[in-house]
Amino acid sequence: MNNQERANQTLNEFDIQSFQEDLIQWFKKEQRILPWRENQDPYRVWVSEIMLQQTRVDTVIPYFNHFMDKFPTPESLAEADEQEVLKAWEGLGYYSRARNLQTAVREVVEEYGGVVPSDPGELGSLKGVGPYTKGAILSIAYDTPEPAVDGNVMRVLSRILNVDDDIAKPKTRKLFEELVRGVISDKDPSSFNQGMMELGAMICTPKSPSCMLCPVQEYCRAFDKGIETTLPVKSSKKKQKKIPYKLILIENEKGEVLIEQRPGDGLLASLWQYPMIPMKDLGPESAKVWFLDEYGLDIEWKEKLEEVKHVFSHLIWEMEVVRVTLKGGELNRERARFVEKQTIDDYPFPVSHQKAHKYVNP
Ligand code: SF4
């Protein structure tokens, strides 16, 4: 059975119209006031949806307001320096989102006269605009009945329709997209999709859904069977790999501190950081040799300041912040430089390294 047939079968005997009406009515009455809901400007919707990926609403609000003050239009974001954009994103994490957003916005300015395309093909071909973001922009800003399926929507719908497919598998999203196509309101797709998202955020939460307050409880098959907390089915991810590092704080004779820019692609691309020695196969003495090879600088350990752990989706950095003394040598690493301590804040740093700023500028 293909996804469409399964969706049809699942929605058999489901009161689609009443469900839509109840969900939309609830959303209109109960929705939180959020800055990106002030209007349907597709650029604002786009920025908010990118920021909200993997990030909590409360965290996003100040970043969104600041970003919109700084880059109020696609043109202003397209023209901005990448470092300026990363600085505005500093602390929000998953920095490739910011870079992809700027790349895509530049394309919108160059190819579409600064108007975010409403054509699904054009919109979906922009960098960083996956099926979810595409659906969110098309439905929220352009009132098009397109599914916007993320983990929240899969959770809510898996309960309402009692679907037990593993939502950790990429192919399951396709099934849920078909299901949303089957239930979405043609009259008000914007409120429908936002209502699903709001329900997932406020009521149908992962661990203890508030079924007694739920506006669509009467349609919910999982509630009816008392199995709402067993859904969705989600197989567990692989454990993250732990990587030990020493984060090096080193000053030259002028009192300047050494920082470096990360490569232009990969994890935390183009952000700045303090030098890091990967300690996996190194002891303290061989770490110094490694540093001399890589940076051209001869160092002596001085003091251990703090241990910092930073968890990414696929790995964990276990960092020891260490102050070292510069004994000699000449810096020979591309992308690394000594800078005045007072200028540290001008460079976009990932959160994990920002934790060491206090030892540089106490
Ligand atoms: S009744 Fe409970 S499980 Fe069903 S949608 Fe509402 S909150 Fe979620």
Side-chain angles (χ1 to χ4, degrees), residues 191-357:
S191 299
F192 181 90
N193 272 353
Q194 290 188 83
M196 289 293 286
M197 296 170 194
E198 195 78 349
L199 193 65
M202 305 304 293
I203 306 279
C204 195
T205 51
K207 294 219 170 77
S208 45
S210 306
C211 301
M212 292 307 150
L213 303 173
C214 180
V216 292
Q217 187 211 77
E218 64 178 287
Y219 309 95
C220 183
R221 292 172 180 167
F223 177 77
D224 187 45
K225 291 186 157 53
I227 54 168
E228 64 275 7
T229 50
T230 68
L231 291 168
V233 172
K234 187 178 182 186
S235 57
S236 56
K237 288 191 287 184
K238 268 200 269 163
K239 269 193 126 188
Q240 295 124 317
K241 205 163 91 194
K242 290 182 184 166
I243 313 183
Y245 286 103
K246 280 196 195 298
L247 183 155
I248 302 297
L249 296 181
I250 182 169
E251 290 178 20
N252 63 11
E253 64 286 353
K254 290 192 226 154
E256 296 167 326
V257 62
L258 184 61
I259 63 172
E260 68 182 327
Q261 190 174 29
R262 293 180 64 86
D265 49 27
L267 184 68
L268 305 173
S270 301
L271 292 184
W272 291 78
Q273 65 177 26
Y274 299 101
M276 289 178 19
I277 304 180
M279 296 300 293
K280 190 170 163 284
D281 300 314
L282 302 177
E285 283 313 306
S286 45
K288 288 199 287 187
V289 176
W290 182 93
F291 198 75
L292 183 61
D293 281 349
E294 292 286 326
Y295 290 81
L297 300 176
D298 194 8
I299 56 171
E300 192 60 67
W301 304 119
K302 199 169 165 194
E303 57 180 329
K304 178 179 150 185
L305 299 165
E306 188 182 345
E307 281 179 10
V308 173
K309 192 163 139 181
H310 194 80
V311 180
F312 296 94
S313 53
H314 57 302
L315 51 87
I316 299 174
W317 281 356
E318 291 181 326
M319 297 190 294
E320 210 177 270
V321 181
V322 187
R323 208 189 288 284
V324 307
T325 311
L326 177 59
K327 282 171 54 190
E330 195 165 331
L331 180 64
N332 66 2
R333 187 172 172 96
E334 237 186 288
R335 308 173 78 91
R337 59 170 88 150
F338 283 99
V339 299
E340 286 180 27
K341 292 177 190 169
Q342 297 82 345
T343 65
I344 283 284
D345 278 341
D346 298 340
Y347 297 87
F349 272 69
V351 169
S352 48
H353 280 249
Q354 281 175 37
K355 289 181 182 153
H357 282 352

Side-chain angles (χ1 to χ4, degrees), residues 37-64:
R37 287 184 179 159
E38 275 168 22
N39 58 44
Q40 285 182 294
D41 177 353
Y43 170 65
R44 287 171 70 88
V45 173
W46 185 4
V47 172
S48 71
E49 287 299 339
I50 298 291
M51 283 189 171
L52 286 164
Q53 286 167 16
Q54 334 267 355
T55 314
R56 289 159 42 86
V57 167
D58 294 350
T59 309
V60 167
I61 291 172
Y63 278 94
F64 178 81

